[in-house]
Amino acid sequence: MTTHASMDDPRVTLDEQLGSFEPIPPYPPRTEREHEFYTVADGEMLVNIGPHHPSTHGVLRVVMKLDGERVVDIDPVLGYLHRGVEKLCENADFHHTISYMDPLEYVSSLFCEWPAVMAYEKLLDIKVPRRAEYIRVLTGELNRISSHLLAMGFHALDLGGITPILYSFIERDEMVEMLASITGQRMLFNYFRIGGVNGDLNHEFMSRLGDWMGRATAQVEANQGLLNENEVFVRRNRGVGTIDSQTALKMCWTGPNLRATGVPFDIRRAHPYSVYPELDFDIPTRSEGDSLARYLLRIDEIKQSLRIIDQCLHQMPDGPVMAQVPRLMRPRPGRAFATVEGPRGQYSIYAVSDGTDQPFRFRIHDPSFLHLQSFTLLMPGQLLADWMTINASLDPIMGGIDK
Amino acid sequence: MDAALKRRLEARFGEGLQGPVRQRHDETEIRIAPAQVPDVLRTLHDDPDFHFQLLADLAGVDTGTAMQVVYHLWSTTTSDWLRVIADGLPREDPRVPSITFLWRGAEWMEREAYDMFGIIFEGNRDLRRIYMPADYTSFPLRKDFYLPDDAARSPGGGVRHMEQPQAPLAPGKTLVRRTRA
């Protein structure tokens, strides 16, 4: 056997070249399912994709069992981005955990902070000022639009179209700059606080937003014209990765992916929070349940988010943006569960307090984790190249999945 | 708070519950024994009075003395989240029946709870680690797994194993790291 010195530590020698893929794991199968997956029949083969593949939306590795070009079975392997955020949060104080939440779903950070602060507000019985709630909804919907635009762009990029992502980034950049003017950050905002938000809206934000709102609808429609009537795009998406509503509910799907199967489940209406009961918007649904429906549903949601932003600007009351909150928090022992409707679905936090200034248990629930799980249902029978379509249409973010 | 849900739960499950039905904010909470999980959740899922068709979350909890599995459910019949706590799993051998027969999507959440807490979900056909590598032996979210850090009151305070200098090896010795088990 040949050995070579490690490039990290010269004292270590390695007995084989790293980075190669061994199709069969070097340990005996741990479960019935693993045994079934790694038993390769005649004519089948295992193919590894990732973890560093551009279409994996992060560092996801999947092993596929192929028969020719048809997928027989698929086994996603997670953990390449696992940081142990739950453990870190259980060792940090309540204010500190909010900044750990941002990098989870890094394209929609505000929706990670939101359930955490909501859970703490429940534990502490804090009433959030109405202006702060409106600001949360306003910034949250902006973040939802920017996330959906990115999903649209990357969906096209994964299918080989470069242009839509550039157009998406024009709009996203404007929104990110807007949010940066009030939060100070372009991506990981760390803006929500227990009892309110970090700062009030300022002139730069309002002028940029007013400027953008005037052309937003036209821009979004121009962008979707690139794809909606593109024959290659439509034919690669229609009928691919179809799931029916009952199966989607059994697989614990939420968000746009569930609504694309025809279930009008949106936590903003199903279990209202913040000031959503005062706002007027529709819940778009589609009945097809395929990749194209999931893509088109996101465009419909962008239009509803624009409506919500418009109403927020008109209805926003004056007043403080932070409640009176102590710096050192010791909530009474108790449990709280808070949920928001993020761009990918139900994002929720289960926080347990034991009376100290650190959460005793901090459970993060990420919707993409459950959508990714359904590959085993969606992929069999599809072509290998359809995996990119299905993955992009489910819009997973590995930062949230791997925690 | 949905007082009607509390009455319905008490009428349906009665003394099968461990402790009273608790309500706070928009959450209703019941505690059951681990062995009751399939029956209670099947009733909550199928009974038209409850019809909890969405499993919102499944979490493991280590209280330091016992393990819990916490289910959050959503239904159109109530405005509350229902929290079902399967309480009192022994820390040495925590076992609870799987609910993948009701929600197949619980499979990965149970894998995660197994990976982080070592809770065995009997009936889950794919109960292997999901985040940690296959040869990992600890359960990181248990309370006796200390985070090596110099954070204020961490029991592992002062230990920064990542930053400890490497001792030089004796001449002629080399470390061999095997990449294949």
Side-chain angles (χ1 to χ4, degrees), chain B residues 71-174:
Chain B
Y71 307 86
H72 284 93
L73 306 174
W74 178 87
S75 164
T76 49
T77 60
T78 172
S79 58
D80 277 12
W81 293 106
L82 179 66
R83 178 184 309 135
V84 180
I85 302 183
D87 203 357
L89 283 66
R91 291 188 84 242
E92 302 74 43
D93 184 27
R95 283 175 186 275
V96 68
S98 165
I99 55 157
T100 45
F101 69 96
L102 282 173
W103 289 281
R104 202 181 152 188
E107 191 174 294
W108 274 22
M109 291 195 272
E110 291 181 349
R111 275 179 72 181
E112 189 190 343
Y114 165 71
D115 192 2
M116 294 291 141
F117 292 94
I119 298 170
I120 309 281
F121 291 86
E122 289 167 332
N124 186 326
R125 66 192 286 268
D126 196 18
L127 199 68
R128 52 185 156 134
R129 288 187 177 273
I130 190 161
Y131 289 140
M132 309 308 283
D135 55 351
Y136 198 72
T137 51
S138 312
F139 298 112
L141 281 180
R142 286 195 179 200
K143 286 293 168 190
D144 51 8
F145 184 102
Y146 296 138
L147 199 62
D149 193 8
D150 53 6
R153 283 175 311 289
S154 165
V159 181
R160 297 295 294 267
H161 66 143
M162 305 280 276
E163 293 177 11
Q164 278 175 2
Q166 290 165 337
L169 279 179
K173 282 189 81 177
T174 52

Side-chain angles (χ1 to χ4, degrees), chain A residues 154-324:
Chain A
F154 275 113
H155 195 155
L157 188 70
D158 286 352
L159 302 185
I162 304 288
T163 318
I165 187 74
L166 302 175
Y167 278 79
S168 294
F169 262 103
I170 293 174
E171 300 310 307
R172 181 179 157 84
D173 206 50
E174 186 59 36
M175 269 171 280
V176 156
E177 288 288 344
M178 265 181 235
L179 290 170
S181 65
I182 49 173
T183 65
Q185 278 283 345
R186 285 171 57 92
M187 203 164 165
L188 309 177
F189 305 111
N190 194 13
Y191 180 52
F192 292 176
R193 293 288 182 273
I194 304 166
V197 293
N198 189 19
D200 207 340
L201 304 180
N202 56 21
H203 178 72
E204 188 190 347
F205 176 83
M206 293 307 276
S207 64
R208 272 180 179 272
L209 180 62
D211 191 32
W212 180 76
M213 281 296 280
R215 60 186 163 84
T217 314
Q219 287 282 7
V220 170
E221 275 170 9
N223 285 1
Q224 73 186 65
L226 282 171
L227 291 176
N228 288 13
E229 288 151 35
N230 183 321
E231 196 181 339
V232 176
F233 183 81
V234 171
R235 286 182 68 163
R236 281 202 63 182
N237 277 288
R238 181 170 284 152
V240 170
T242 311
I243 191 167
D244 65 282
S245 59
Q246 284 311 307
T247 316
L249 280 170
K250 293 272 179 235
M251 295 306 288
C252 304
W253 278 27
T254 47
N257 297 343
L258 178 62
R259 291 194 284 280
T261 67
V263 182
F265 177 79
D266 185 322
I267 296 176
R268 292 174 291 178
R269 284 285 185 254
H271 194 101
Y273 57 95
S274 194
V275 289
Y276 281 111
E278 300 168 20
L279 299 167
D280 177 34
F281 61 97
D282 300 329
I283 302 172
T285 56
R286 289 187 176 255
S287 54
E288 299 89 0
D290 57 359
S291 296
L292 189 65
R294 293 194 277 273
Y295 161 77
L296 292 171
L297 194 93
R298 291 199 164 85
I299 296 177
D300 297 342
E301 289 210 339
I302 291 175
K303 291 172 186 162
Q304 297 303 320
S305 291
L306 288 172
R307 271 178 76 187
I308 296 175
I309 291 172
D310 202 40
Q311 291 169 55
C312 279
L313 290 172
H314 284 96
Q315 296 177 15
M316 188 174 292
D318 284 331
V321 293
M322 270 294 283
Q324 293 291 327

Side-chain angles (χ1 to χ4, degrees), chain A residues 1 6 8-9 11-18 22 26-27 30-34 36-38 75-80 82 86-88 90-91 121-125 246 249-254 258 265 267 270-272 332-339 346 348-350 352 356-365 369-370 372-373 376-377 400-403, chain B residues 22 24-27 29 31 45-46 53-64 68 70 72 74-75 78-81 83 85 101-109 111-113 116-117 124-135 139-147 149 151-155 166-169 173-181:
Chain A
M1 183 183 286
S6 163
D8 296 327
D9 186 347
R11 304 174 308 157
V12 173
T13 54
L14 301 171
D15 59 9
E16 98 185 52
Q17 196 70 43
L18 288 177
E22 288 293 332
Y27 46 82
R30 290 166 288 174
T31 59
E32 183 192 332
R33 156 83 186 147
E34 196 172 25
E36 174 196 305
F37 183 81
Y38 287 105
D75 189 29
V77 183
L78 307 184
Y80 288 89
H82 181 61
E86 291 182 2
K87 190 75 178 177
L88 291 172
E90 286 166 19
N91 285 275
E121 283 153 9
K122 277 185 180 179
L123 281 176
L124 288 149
D125 287 312
Q246 284 311 307
L249 280 170
K250 293 272 179 235
M251 295 306 288
C252 304
W253 278 27
T254 47
L258 178 62
F265 177 79
I267 296 176
H271 194 101
R332 278 178 302 160
R335 294 166 288 280
F337 181 70
T339 307
Q346 172 211 331
S348 56
I349 297 291
Y350 173 53
V352 179
T356 62
D357 60 343
Q358 297 174 333
F360 181 74
R361 173 79 177 103
F362 191 81
R363 154 82 182 163
I364 302 161
H365 175 95
F369 184 72
L370 297 161
L372 200 70
Q373 170 175 214
T376 44
L377 295 183
I401 293 168
D402 274 353
K403 289 192 255 199
Chain B
R22 294 186 189 185
R24 191 181 177 200
H25 298 295
D26 56 349
E27 296 153 28
E29 177 183 297
R31 271 168 203 270
H45 179 266
D46 294 342
Q53 54 181 330
L54 200 86
L55 176 68
D57 189 24
L58 187 156
V61 176
D62 180 8
T63 63
Q68 297 177 340
V70 182
H72 284 93
W74 178 87
S75 164
T78 172
S79 58
D80 277 12
W81 293 106
R83 178 184 309 135
I85 302 183
F101 69 96
L102 282 173
W103 289 281
R104 202 181 152 188
E107 191 174 294
W108 274 22
M109 291 195 272
R111 275 179 72 181
E112 189 190 343
M116 294 291 141
F117 292 94
N124 186 326
R125 66 192 286 268
D126 196 18
L127 199 68
R128 52 185 156 134
R129 288 187 177 273
I130 190 161
Y131 289 140
M132 309 308 283
D135 55 351
F139 298 112
L141 281 180
R142 286 195 179 200
K143 286 293 168 190
D144 51 8
F145 184 102
Y146 296 138
L147 199 62
D149 193 8
R153 283 175 311 289
S154 165
Q166 290 165 337
L169 279 179
K173 282 189 81 177
T174 52
L175 294 172
V176 177
R177 180 196 292 156
R178 297 195 171 275
T179 51
R180 201 184 299 194

